[in-house]
């Protein structure tokens, strides 16, 4: 018999769910993807996926859009809490999955899960303190500090830092809580609201990308001087635009003005601010890596 533990992962994203079982990136035994609709439907599909596999996973990790309760000592551990996403407020993810599948479940934000995946198998394998920022339906950030996911009062909400406006930008912001926070100015929905078209329809060379790079670079600078990461990983659907990453690196170097005198930044910025090595699989693979923590 194969004694290798089988891990289950659920990436509960704001746009899509991804569920998978396997032992790592090179051994994904089964996978399913479906749009994030109602919570009852999504949970039923996820549970059915695991219960119909030839072999149940030994544990399941869940990385979810937030805000969430990721405190294992809390009575609402495993809940999506006061999200603006309709129909998902105060939704328990961990309880139904644990009861239906009958295995331990580890829970955190989707971006924390993706960061764990990149630490295990991707762009952060050689560092222990790094930042993972994802830019898509929302903007989330994870800090891995000395190899551990950072939590405090709750999980980090890096997408809601306040950022100075780009020159000439009078967009009011899309965040229902803060208006012109980072998420309100630079998430996928913010791009669509500002330019009246989806990010995928905006051509290369459009001023939209210069403005987008401004907000993301300012955020990265704030996190560099606050957390002193050994690497910065920028992922998510919006970051798939190839022109963004070089523009962000240029602005970061210009605005830091040589204050952080480290070769990693001043001479090797291309390997300091990087894309995820796991691509769009970072979330679900990271959830599988979370599952490993239960064993």
């Amino acid at each position: 018999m194969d004694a290798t533990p089988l891990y289950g992962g659920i990436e509960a994203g704001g746009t899509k769910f991804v569920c998978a079982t396997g032992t790592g990136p090179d051994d994904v035994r089964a996978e399913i993807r479906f749009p994030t609709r109602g919570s009852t439907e999504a949970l039923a599909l996820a549970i059915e996926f695991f219960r119909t596999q030839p072999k149940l996973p030994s544990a399941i990790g869940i990385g979810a859009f937030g805000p969430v309760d990721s405190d294992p000592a809390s009575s609402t551990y495993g809940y999506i809490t006061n999200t603006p996403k309709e129909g998902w407020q105060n939704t328990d993810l961990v309880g139904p999955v644990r009861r239906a599948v009958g295995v331990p479940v580890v829970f955190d934000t989707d971006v924390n899960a993706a960061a764990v995946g990149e630490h295990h198998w991707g762009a952060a394998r050689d560092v222990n303190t790094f930042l993972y920022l994802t830019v898509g339906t929302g903007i989330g950030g994870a800090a891995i500090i000395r190899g551990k996911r950072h939590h405090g009062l709750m999980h980090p909400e890096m997408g809601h830092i306040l950022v100075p406006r780009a020159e000439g930008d009078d967009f009011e912001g899309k965040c229902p809580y803060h208006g012109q926070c980072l998420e309100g100015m630079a998430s996928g929905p913010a791009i669509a609201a500002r330019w009246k078209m989806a990010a995928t329809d905006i051509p290369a060379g459009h001023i939209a990308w210069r403005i987008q790079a401004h907000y993301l670079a300012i955020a990265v600078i704030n996190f560099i001087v606050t957390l002193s990461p050994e690497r910065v990983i920028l992922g998510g659907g919006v970051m798939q635009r190839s022109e963004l990453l070089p523009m962000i690196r240029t602005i970061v170097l210009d605005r830091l003005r040589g204050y952080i005198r480290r070769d990693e930044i001043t001479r090797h910025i291309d390997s300091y601010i990087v894309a995820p090595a796991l691509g769009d699989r970072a979330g679900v693979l990271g959830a599988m890596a979370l599952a490993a923590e239960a064993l």
Side-chain angles (χ1 to χ4, degrees):
M1 294 180 63
D2 182 5
T4 304
L6 190 67
Y7 306 123
I10 301 175
E11 177 189 357
T15 302
K16 70 178 185 303
F17 262 57
V18 185
C19 305
T21 63
T23 61
D26 300 324
D27 179 32
V28 175
R29 309 280 178 90
E31 182 177 318
I32 186 174
R33 295 171 179 249
F34 50 88
T36 303
R37 298 192 180 103
S39 57
T40 301
E41 178 185 0
L43 279 167
L45 287 171
I47 288 168
E48 181 185 21
F49 168 79
F50 291 111
R51 294 185 68 177
T52 56
Q53 294 306 307
K55 178 182 177 182
L56 286 178
S58 300
I60 294 173
I62 302 177
F65 68 90
V68 305
D69 186 345
S70 55
D71 179 2
S74 170
S75 62
T76 54
Y77 171 68
Y79 278 58
I80 293 175
T81 57
N82 59 321
T83 177
K85 189 171 182 63
E86 186 176 353
W88 283 86
Q89 295 85 359
N90 301 311
T91 295
D92 181 9
L93 294 183
V94 167
V97 172
R98 186 164 50 201
R99 287 190 295 271
V101 185
V103 299
V105 179
V106 180
F107 178 78
D108 211 326
T109 64
D110 51 0
V111 65
N112 270 352
V116 172
E118 290 292 331
H119 196 210
H120 275 247
W121 300 302
R125 285 174 295 176
D126 59 334
V127 295
N128 277 318
T129 295
F130 68 96
L131 168 74
Y132 187 107
L133 196 68
T134 183
V135 187
T137 304
I139 296 181
I144 303 296
I145 308 295
R146 296 178 181 173
K148 303 293 185 182
R149 291 173 281 142
H150 174 68
H151 294 93
L153 187 62
M154 54 180 287
H155 56 82
E157 280 287 1
M158 298 183 190
H160 293 273
I161 64 169
L162 302 181
V163 287
R165 287 185 174 276
E167 184 177 353
D169 184 18
D170 60 0
F171 178 59
E172 68 274 13
K174 186 66 176 171
C175 175
Y177 290 97
H178 312 118
Q180 64 179 75
C181 64
L182 178 63
E183 182 170 292
M185 301 302 279
S187 65
I191 294 170
R194 180 192 277 109
W195 303 108
K196 312 304 181 191
M197 67 178 99
T200 52
D201 296 329
I202 300 175
H206 194 285
I207 191 175
W209 301 119
R210 179 179 62 80
I211 291 176
Q212 183 73 7
H214 162 85
Y215 288 115
L216 296 177
I218 293 300
V220 168
I221 289 168
N222 285 334
F223 297 136
I224 288 173
V225 298
T226 304
L227 298 172
S228 196
E230 297 168 293
R231 186 159 298 141
V232 176
I233 303 172
L234 299 180
V238 172
M239 288 304 305
Q240 292 179 16
R241 294 298 298 230
S242 60
E243 62 264 51
L244 266 180
L245 203 53
M247 293 170 69
I248 291 167
R249 291 171 179 146
T250 298
I251 296 170
V252 167
L253 281 174
D254 178 65
R255 293 296 187 94
L256 278 176
R257 303 180 188 274
Y259 183 73
I260 308 295
R261 295 181 179 273
R262 292 286 304 210
D263 284 351
E264 291 89 340
I265 294 176
T266 58
R267 297 181 60 190
H268 305 295
I269 191 76
D270 288 0
S271 56
Y272 181 73
I273 301 175
V274 301
L278 301 177
D280 66 356
R281 303 174 73 208
V284 71
L285 290 172
M288 289 167 57
L290 286 180
E293 296 181 5
L295 303 179

